Amino acid sequence: MIRAFLATLACALAARALSDSSIAIQDVTSGLWIVSYAAATNLAPLGTSVTQATIFDVAQLATGAFEVLNYETHQFMTADSSGTAPVASTRSQAGTDEKFFFIQTGTNTYIIQANSNGLYLQTIGGAIYNNATEAGASVYTVVTQTAPVTNAEGTLGEVFIEDVASSLYVTVSGSSALVPTTSVRASGAIFKLNGDTLTTIEYLTTGEFVTATMPGNQPLTATAVTPSAWEEYSVFFLSSGRYAIKANSNGLYLQTTSAGIVNSAFSQASGSVYNLVNANPGRR
Ligand SMILES: *[C@@H]1O[C@H](CO)[C@@H](O)[C@H](O)[C@H]1NC(C)=O
């Protein structure tokens, strides 16, 4: 009796339930990986290898349900209550229809229940619908990917910085100033955020740290060889893909001006909004 209980416990421990992470999803029956991109938002089993899979960031709520955020498009996965519309990633905010339960059936396999109508996801042809009973649910393999930037304060990792208002990515000028100049993400500069509550911003190309002067009257420059208090920043998560950044040097928020990014905004609301886009989503 006790042995059986311990065996069950060991088994339960070995099969780790899904936790907050970045994942790729594979349809077990077809072996195809799920994709959903801006031009075709319905989740579709189309990828023939994991490198083609769309990455989703999953975050668990107190109810046990997960919100599933399409990493590429910053849209939440949604399943409407009728269950007859394809599951898609099309919602900028997560409500009742944008929550899912991942019920583990094997080491990395799950059936997925929509919170909207309590029904299960099933792959039918080229789409996924939330209209199956538990017995009719499709099984999906979930594979954890290298974590992109977390959607929380304390963002870490190597990122492109996008000025949300202009949709331009920050580059580093000849005078080392940070200026949003390019609409092509790959042409943007890559910065490494090294810290947690207070982080430095390291310009990867030169290894120099971004400094924010005390007066806050000139653009940030990537010029400090050794980081000090002037090279520390607080990153605040506002909503998916939207962050505010505060300079530790003078306590002011970053804002984009014609000269570049300056630490001169007296409040979060008057500062600019930036997106921190993971430069290494782990699938390229
Ligand atoms: C689920 O919806 C799809 C698309 O409308 C339909 O083809 C399928 O028969 C439905 N399945 C169930 C069990 O209702």
Side-chain angles (χ1 to χ4, degrees), residues 83-85 122 124 129-133:
T84 53
Q122 61 174 329
I124 302 177
Y129 299 90
N130 57 308
N131 63 359
T133 61

Side-chain angles (χ1 to χ4, degrees), residues 78-99:
T78 185
D80 83 0
S81 52
S82 76
T84 53
V87 173
S89 41
T90 49
R91 294 283 180 271
S92 58
Q93 308 230 312
T96 307
D97 293 357
E98 290 75 43
K99 297 176 177 37

Side-chain angles (χ1 to χ4, degrees), residues 16 32 50-51 80 88-89 91 94 136 155 160 163 168 241 253 258:
R16 279 189 58 218
L32 295 172
V50 67
T51 58
D80 83 0
S89 41
R91 294 283 180 271
T155 301
F160 296 105
D163 176 67
L168 295 177
Y253 288 83
S258 55

Side-chain angles (χ1 to χ4, degrees), residues 168-215:
L168 295 177
Y169 292 87
V170 171
T171 57
V172 176
S173 74
S175 56
S176 300
L178 273 66
V179 192
T181 57
T182 178
S183 59
V184 180
R185 183 189 293 178
S187 304
I190 298 178
F191 299 94
K192 188 167 179 215
L193 308 191
N194 301 292
D196 201 341
T197 319
L198 271 181
T199 183
T200 53
I201 302 177
E202 181 183 347
Y203 176 39
L204 219 55
T205 301
T206 61
E208 295 191 321
F209 295 87
V210 173
T211 189
T213 64
M214 188 72 100

